[in-house]
Amino acid sequence: MEVRREAGTEDDPRAAELRRAVARLRRDLAAHPAELPDRAIADDELAALDAMARTGAPELHRLRRSLLLIAGALGSVSALGPALTGVRAAIDQFGSVPRTGIGRD
């Protein structure tokens, strides 16, 4: 018998995956040497995503909004692309998302 876990709790593997993906992008962004004019926006939204994953069932709309803000803040920095794709994949686990836009193969 499969046990459903409440979204956003410590036992929720989706929340854990989102936290790992956010941590990776934060590390990659911190190590990126280029000056990004909107880096603070990306940092703020990554912190918000981490908080949502820690505190309970995140709202899919808010997750998607944060993803768009992060993607816009990072622009087309290819070095951050794989980590950003990881964040998107983790967010996709919380609900169906059309397969267009950032991170599409």
Side-chain angles (χ1 to χ4, degrees), residues 6 9 11 17 23 27 34 36-37 40 49 52 56 68 77 90 92 103:
E6 184 177 331
T9 65
D11 295 330
E17 180 60 30
R27 282 190 309 272
L36 301 173
L49 283 175
M52 284 186 271
L68 288 173
V77 179
D92 284 352

Side-chain angles (χ1 to χ4, degrees), residues 25 27-30 32 36 39 74 77-85:
L25 182 53
R27 282 190 309 272
D28 289 359
L29 181 58
H32 191 68
L36 301 173
R39 184 183 291 247
L74 300 180
V77 179
S78 61
L80 300 174
L84 181 59
T85 298

Side-chain angles (χ1 to χ4, degrees), residues 46-69:
L46 286 167
L49 283 175
D50 187 60
M52 284 186 271
R54 286 178 188 269
T55 60
E59 297 176 24
L60 185 56
H61 174 75
R62 180 68 175 102
L63 293 173
R64 290 178 181 166
R65 180 180 179 277
S66 289
L67 179 63
L68 288 173
L69 288 170

